[in-house]
Amino acid sequence: MASNSAFVFIKPHAVTDKVKDLVKEVFEKNDISIKKEGSLEAEEIDKYKKIDKHYYAIASKATILTPDKLAVPKDKFKDKFGLEWDDVLKDGKALNAMDACEKLGVDAAKLDEMWAGCKKAGELVKFGGGFYCGKLQDYYVFNGFFMSMRSKFVAPGASIHYYVVEWDPKLAWADFRAKVLGPTDPSTAPADSLRGAILKKWKELGLSSEPNTGDN
């Protein structure tokens, strides 16, 4: 019999025994079978760029590909920054987020702060879904926000807890995402979804802060 399957994980900020118990409870209630579960430590996530591959659409521009490998719309770049993309590339002024940290001598938190500053100053352009370029000092940096997001997964002591699950197709994919897991913004999630339940009981579940769209 055909079945749907998914890889689901608890993000580092929410890995507690009580959250794990809640996940199993919600899966059981929805007739979702756990076929495998385990943990991945920060060192492995970082070494094999596992989180980069998971968020590939965003991470490819931030850590995996160098700017010369990106399909940058040259007209949009020039309209925003007044420069020819080919010249910026030739002059070594284009960086992905990971290389920007090294070149600028900053960590993920500082890069995120600088990224917020360039956004506020209007020195940021969106080329497409998950594809942004911002001017940081004299450099043009791609998806600078990702390093802060990534750091939560690769910080010393961090880990994720994962599940490989299967369920009968009578539970549609859309319902699995919206009603079982809940939307990425926990404040809009159904109360009996995982994200909704964790938001409601985050203190009781041992989280250090209230879930939000990033830490969801």
Side-chain angles (χ1 to χ4, degrees), residues 80-81 111-125 132-136 145:
K80 182 63 184 177
F81 300 114
L111 188 71
D112 195 49
E113 182 184 315
M114 293 171 71
W115 186 261
C118 85
K119 183 178 180 180
K120 188 175 181 180
E123 294 284 355
L124 185 72
V125 62
Y132 297 84
C133 181
K135 186 180 181 184
L136 304 184
F145 61 90

Side-chain angles (χ1 to χ4, degrees), residues 93-209:
K93 294 295 186 180
L95 301 168
N96 67 23
M98 184 172 277
D99 290 340
C101 284
E102 185 178 346
K103 180 71 75 172
L104 299 173
V106 298
D107 60 12
K110 180 62 179 178
L111 188 71
D112 195 49
E113 182 184 315
M114 293 171 71
W115 186 261
C118 85
K119 183 178 180 180
K120 188 175 181 180
E123 294 284 355
L124 185 72
V125 62
K126 180 178 181 179
F127 294 135
F131 191 6
Y132 297 84
C133 181
K135 186 180 181 184
L136 304 184
Q137 296 182 9
D138 292 330
Y139 295 95
Y140 297 87
V141 178
F142 292 90
N143 287 5
F145 61 90
F146 181 71
M147 295 308 291
S148 176
M149 177 179 166
R150 185 181 192 273
S151 70
K152 295 174 182 178
F153 291 88
V154 301
S159 67
I160 65 167
H161 194 79
Y162 69 84
Y163 306 86
V164 177
V165 298
E166 290 184 357
W167 68 94
D168 190 294
K170 67 184 180 183
L171 172 63
W173 265 102
D175 288 336
F176 174 73
R177 290 171 61 91
K179 297 179 181 179
V180 178
L181 301 184
T184 53
D185 181 354
S187 68
T188 67
D192 58 350
S193 69
L194 274 170
R195 287 187 171 116
I198 293 171
L199 176 63
K200 184 179 179 182
K201 303 189 290 185
W202 65 272
K203 289 182 181 177
E204 180 186 329
L205 294 170
L207 275 67
S208 61
S209 60

